[in-house]
Each structure stands twice: as C-alpha cells, then as structure tokens.
Amino acid sequence: MSNPINRELQATLDPQRKSWIDSANDAACDFPIQNLPFGVFSTAQQAQARVGVAIGDQVADLAALFEAGLLRVGAESNVFARPALNDFIALGRDAWRSVRVQLSALLAKETSTLRDDAALRQRVFVKLADAKLHMPVDIPGYTDFYSSKEHATNVGSMFRDPKNALLPNWSEMPIGYNGRASSVVVSGTPVRRPNGQLKLPDQERPVFGACRKLDIELETGFIIGRGNALGEPVACEDAEAHIFGMVLLNDWSARDIQQWEYVPLGPFNAKGFATTISPWIVTLDALEPFRVAQPVQEPKPLEYLRHAGEHAFDISLEVLLRPEGASEATTISRTNFRYMYWSMAQQLAHHTVAGCNMRVGDLLGSGTISGPTADSFGSLLEITWNAKNPVALKDGGTRGFIEDGDELTLAGWCQGDGYRVGFGTCVGVVMPAVK
Ligand code: MN
C-alpha cells in the first residue's frame, strides 16, 4: 500500500476472508466482504433515508448498528442516521478506515455478534432487493475531465481535424470543465431527452427541437473526502488522501447540441441536463489491491503533476443497451479504467493548483473511458463513428444514437482471485423530450 495503513486495515483486504452472509462469498457477487461500499437507502417500512453498506444480497444499516452500540466512529451523534454520507465522510480518513475495520470484523465468518443473534440481524439487515437507493452524497460541485487519450483523439478527429485531433495542451494537463451538480441523479432515475439548438448542415441558422444524437459517456467519478482551503492547492503526492471513493458515472451527452454550442467555452446544455451515478461508493481502500501503473506519460508532466508509484486502477467496465420491451440487453462496449492517461491524483492536483477549493462530496468525473478498438469505446459517438456504422443489437435492431425507451446500463468491477470488488450498476432509461 502506498498509504500508511495498519495491519487491521490490511486484513480487510485478505482474499481469504469470508462472511457469514453466504451470498457475499459467491465469486460473481459485486459486494463481498472485501468491498464494503457505502450508500444511502430507505425501505417501505422505514422511509427515513440512512447510511448503509452493501454486503452480498443485503444492506447493513449503519444507523442501526450505531444505535445498537456496535459501531464507533468518534462522533457523539449518529452520523449514519442522515440522508447523505457527507457528515460521515467529513470525519476524515481515520474514521472511514476504522468503520471499515469494524464492519469487516462484524461480518466475518468467525464473528458471532450478528451471526447468532436473529433479533439483532432483523434490525440491522435489509434485502438489497427491498431497499430504495438514494443519492449517496450531497454534491456541492461537479467537474468533468477529458482524460482518455483514445477518446480525445476520436472526438477531435470527428469534431475538428483527424490530423490535429489532440490539441497541444491535452498532453500537458488534465483538461476539464465545471459541470452542473444540480442535475446529478442516482441510478434508476429516468432521463429526459433534452431540447435545444441544433445546427443542421444544410441550414444557415439553427433549429430548436429534440436532440437527435443522444449519447452516453462511460465514466467513473470520484468523491472528495477532504476539502482544501481556498488558495491552498492539493499536492499531487497527497491527492489520494483527499479521495473518499469512486462511483460509475454516465455523462449523458447531446452530441448535436454540443457540436454547435461548445466553441469557445465548452459544453453547456449538451451536458447539463443529467449525469447519472451508481448508488454505492467503493472506497479507495477497497480498491487498493487493484492498483496498477498508468500509461507512460510523454512529455513528462510539469513538476506539480508528478507522483511516484502506481496511480491507476484495474477496473473492468461494460456498457449495455436494452431497447424498450426487449428481453435481453446487448453489451456495446467493454473497456478498462487502467488505460486512462491522467490519474485521479493528477486531476485533483491540477483542479486545485490555481487555488480552487474542493468541498466534501464534490464529484470529479474521469472523462469518457475509451480503449483502443471500436468495441472498447466509451460512447456511441465513437462506437458508431457518428452513426456511420450503427451497432447491431441482439433483438435485430441497430443503433446510431440512443432512442426513446432505451435503457443504458454501466457496470464495473475489479477481478480478484476468487472474488470481485464490484460497483453494481448505473442505469438510466431515456424518456421522450418535452413537447
Ligand atoms: Mn464527459
């Protein structure tokens, strides 16, 4: 581990550790005892949203565990009995790690406290299938980056010029823009097709109407766990200590609106209508065994963007599309987060270097994650090359871009030896535009 952690925290990552919750020991389960992702949930019986951790096919209610005196977090009040994770996250990394260690012990096969107490289990566990999952954090600010070299090259080729697809600044800094936090929604929230200005090639002026080139962007996002004061940059070497964890992120994009509006200040309405995130935040601690080297950076980044060691993560990613009424979804992309050119630490260092302050809960998107081949591209724009090569679906249909009623699902996981640390899914169904 590059971060100093103790033996107890290391033990939570032991691939051999099993839970007394059998479903958590299934090799295909996203939520084994090694994962312990944090979210916010409610049930039909208890409508008050509160903090939970996914384990197997269950959710452990941390507010109930705290009330039962089984979870200590260094705060007098119950920070888990809140409809967002911010108050817990604000307690700091030692608190996150302490809770992880305590939960791992309570859920381990050998520990009888919950395992052998049916009444207590009744109060603490809810079936994942019965839980309504909410936005896990209040997000004060959302930023989206553009850090996949393959994606930037593809988009630059289509929108500008294949010969100069990558602008000279791209390999010197993680390019980003300030997005809209207000329209970030949790998985399962329907997404309405946006209306906007469309500039058709055969007309001098734009028309107003429903987006005709609605797209996804396969991304991950990270949640800020520790802020920085205005004017005080976060050093690249320290940046990971400021990150609480990661989610899957779909940066829905209206390509026709985007192409007309993006010069000179970048995307606006093309992106601001919705961004979907997965409900479970996988902590950086849980991702530690899957740390790998990032691609070689040439030219060597400026001093403030340098960090020693490995700062990429081996996360398998997929996109599935299911038309309305279809029984089966089609996988339209398979790729991996490890190919991202700029690391999360570099993104955070760059974001703060001019003095911008981050706040607990801020969401920073990776940028579309595209691999080198068409079946590993992270957007339909690239997969179909602007609808020139439509993608074939299992039900016999094809897609250039998204149609109304389509359900888009992102999935992601880290493959361990006999287990996987998964993100669950990030789902959205597209509804028709406002008439
Ligand atoms: Mn994006």
Side-chain angles (χ1 to χ4, degrees):
M1 292 223 164
S2 63
N3 300 322
I5 66 164
N6 62 29
R7 199 182 322 138
E8 279 178 311
L9 186 59
Q10 190 71 51
T12 67
L13 300 170
D14 180 357
Q16 302 307 321
R17 188 171 276 205
K18 302 283 184 214
S19 175
W20 52 264
I21 296 176
D22 285 338
S23 57
N25 303 323
D26 184 331
C29 177
D30 273 347
F31 309 124
I33 194 166
Q34 290 82 5
N35 191 348
L36 306 176
F38 291 86
V40 168
F41 76 104
S42 64
T43 57
Q45 292 75 29
Q46 204 180 333
Q48 174 85 41
R50 54 215 190 263
V51 172
V53 156
I55 175 77
D57 60 2
Q58 306 282 316
V59 180
D61 182 336
L62 301 200
L65 277 173
F66 183 89
E67 269 167 39
L70 292 170
L71 199 55
R72 265 171 264 245
V73 70
E76 295 288 311
S77 61
N78 191 345
V79 291
F80 303 115
R82 311 267 162 89
L85 276 157
N86 301 57
D87 291 346
F88 165 60
I89 295 174
L91 295 176
R93 190 164 69 169
D94 288 348
W96 319 333
R97 289 180 162 179
S98 164
V99 166
R100 177 176 171 84
V101 167
Q102 293 174 69
L103 286 172
S104 182
L106 282 167
L107 296 166
K109 209 165 192 114
E110 310 72 50
T111 310
S112 61
T113 318
L114 287 158
R115 186 192 68 197
D116 298 346
D117 188 333
L120 195 52
R121 283 204 312 273
Q122 180 80 16
R123 274 157 57 201
V124 169
F125 292 97
V126 167
K127 277 200 190 115
L128 196 46
D130 296 337
K132 178 176 160 57
L133 302 175
H134 300 261
M135 275 290 286
V137 277
D138 283 333
I139 300 175
Y142 163 50
T143 299
D144 196 32
F145 285 93
Y146 190 57
S147 289
S148 156
K149 194 171 197 170
E150 291 81 0
H151 173 70
T153 304
N154 288 338
V155 174
S157 297
M158 273 182 273
F159 276 28
R160 279 189 309 273
D161 170 12
K163 291 194 198 77
N164 301 296
L166 221 51
L167 295 173
N169 60 4
W170 193 90
S171 33
E172 296 288 358
M173 68 177 97
I175 300 290
Y177 67 94
N178 288 300
R180 258 329 275 184
S182 63
S183 55
V184 179
V185 296
V186 73
S187 176
T189 308
V191 170
R192 199 172 271 288
R193 179 181 299 273
N195 286 311
Q197 289 198 15
L198 317 172
K199 176 69 171 66
L200 307 176
D202 56 347
Q203 292 179 31
E204 198 178 324
R205 293 193 57 207
V207 297
F208 179 82
C211 163
R212 301 170 188 189
K213 292 187 173 180
L214 184 59
D215 200 357
I216 51 138
E217 288 193 340
L218 166 61
E219 304 194 17
T220 59
F222 63 93
I223 306 290
I224 294 295
R226 185 168 118 211
N228 60 296
L230 186 67
E232 293 179 16
V234 174
C236 201
E237 289 284 0
D238 300 335
E240 281 176 4
H242 288 250
I243 300 174
F244 176 66
M246 292 178 71
V247 291
L248 302 173
L249 185 154
N250 184 349
D251 179 25
W252 301 93
S253 300
R255 298 303 179 192
D256 38 9
I257 297 172
Q258 182 181 357
Q259 185 152 23
W260 171 234
E261 77 178 2
Y262 89 106
V263 177
L265 288 185
F268 192 60
N269 284 337
K271 306 276 190 171
F273 61 96
T275 304
T276 306
I277 62 168
S278 53
W280 297 107
I281 305 176
V282 178
T283 62
L284 227 50
D285 285 330
L287 294 171
E288 193 58 45
F290 307 99
R291 192 181 278 279
V292 290
Q294 73 197 96
V296 173
Q297 295 185 308
E298 184 57 47
K300 190 174 182 181
L302 298 182
E303 185 72 34
Y304 81 94
L305 289 170
R306 288 182 203 165
H307 45 14
E310 299 181 326
H311 298 279
F313 293 87
D314 183 358
I315 306 171
S316 296
L317 297 163
E318 281 184 1
V319 182
L320 297 96
L321 189 157
R322 189 172 66 85
E324 188 173 16
S327 57
E328 244 189 314
T330 304
T331 303
I332 58 170
S333 179
R334 289 190 176 88
T335 186
N336 196 297
F337 179 70
R338 67 185 297 170
Y339 302 119
M340 294 301 277
Y341 189 86
W342 295 104
S343 70
M344 294 184 283
Q346 289 174 320
Q347 290 172 337
L348 183 51
H350 182 65
H351 204 326
T352 59
V353 75
C356 179
N357 53 321
M358 295 286 134
R359 290 182 283 187
V360 167
D362 278 347
L363 174 67
L364 279 67
S366 60
T368 308
I369 302 165
S370 289
T373 56
D375 58 357
S376 65
F377 293 162
S379 67
L380 279 163
L381 175 71
E382 299 164 85
I383 294 168
T384 69
W385 213 256
N386 204 7
K388 283 193 188 73
N389 313 311
V391 64
L393 304 178
K394 279 183 179 167
D395 68 352
T398 62
R399 285 293 179 280
F401 288 99
I402 298 169
E403 294 186 6
D404 290 345
D406 285 354
E407 176 191 75
L408 278 299
T409 300
L410 313 185
W413 67 93
C414 303
Q415 188 61 56
D417 186 7
Y419 72 103
R420 69 189 222 177
V421 168
F423 286 78
T425 55
C426 177
V427 185
V429 174
V430 172
M431 302 198 308
V434 172
K435 289 262 189 277

